[in-house]
Amino acid sequence: MENITISIKIVKKLDSELTAEEALLVNSAKEATYKSYAPYSHFSVGASLLFDDGTMMQGSNQENSSYPCGICAERSALFAAGAQCPEKKVVAICIAARDTSGEFTSRPVAPCGACRQVMSETEDRQKSPMKVYLYGKEGTYIVRNVKDLLPVSFDASFL
Ligand code: THU
């Protein structure tokens, strides 16, 4: 028998501790929540991507009366990037969310499993890590890459 332990490092920063570039990314993700279409859950999620050329792209959750047709903020941003600028590398993604009260969540918002899977394939595709910023009013979690958030993951090497 073998015990395998996997641990990840999370850096938690208060707003005042973010670098200027990090603050821009976080604010972009927060701003993106206002473009969300969430008439069913009333949970507005925003995602912002930082590319290797310094530009950014936003995404937000887009719901539908046929619930499974909707898409999360992270995937809306990453698929838009894949469709519009596949040559750019995503060096970081930030996620923020406002709950049913309209306030930003206190806890750093966590990406769902499906989004982690798509985020993971972005890293594989571009062959470089994507930093993950999870915003909450009590602080922002910073994870150095997506694989840390999805250990023992399925990927194309199994196919
Ligand atoms: N949602 C996201 O946009 N990202 C996540 O990682 C978790 C959930 C959205 C989907 C749905 O529109 C709403 O939040 C409630 O689940």
Side-chain angles (χ1 to χ4, degrees), residues 41 43 45 61 63 71-74 110-112 115:
S41 72
F43 190 73
V45 187
N61 57 329
E63 299 184 349
I71 193 161
C72 291
E74 300 89 320
C112 78
C115 287

Side-chain angles (χ1 to χ4, degrees), residues 36-47 60-64 67 70-76 95-97 109-116 119:
S36 148
Y37 176 63
Y40 306 104
S41 72
H42 302 286
F43 190 73
S44 301
V45 187
S60 56
N61 57 329
Q62 300 294 319
E63 299 184 349
N64 192 278
Y67 294 173
I71 193 161
C72 291
E74 300 89 320
R75 279 177 287 158
S76 99
I95 305 151
V109 64
C112 78
C115 287
R116 290 178 201 219
M119 288 157 63

Side-chain angles (χ1 to χ4, degrees), residues 14-120:
L14 303 175
D15 285 355
S16 58
E17 296 172 319
L18 295 170
T19 66
E21 192 184 48
E22 287 174 333
L24 279 177
L25 185 66
V26 167
N27 284 332
S28 175
K30 290 171 74 175
E31 183 193 80
T33 65
Y34 294 96
K35 299 171 186 168
S36 148
Y37 176 63
Y40 306 104
S41 72
H42 302 286
F43 190 73
S44 301
V45 187
S48 191
L49 311 178
L50 175 66
F51 295 109
D52 52 354
D53 65 356
T55 59
M56 291 191 283
M57 181 178 282
Q58 294 172 322
S60 56
N61 57 329
Q62 300 294 319
E63 299 184 349
N64 192 278
S65 55
S66 175
Y67 294 173
C69 295
I71 193 161
C72 291
E74 300 89 320
R75 279 177 287 158
S76 99
L78 288 168
F79 291 155
Q84 293 176 45
C85 50
E87 73 287 357
K88 293 186 188 179
K89 288 186 177 183
V90 186
V91 294
I93 183 171
C94 179
I95 305 151
R98 288 181 298 110
D99 61 23
T100 49
S101 72
E103 296 289 319
F104 284 102
T105 60
S106 294
R107 282 192 297 161
V109 64
C112 78
C115 287
R116 290 178 201 219
Q117 181 71 25
V118 169
M119 288 157 63
S120 174

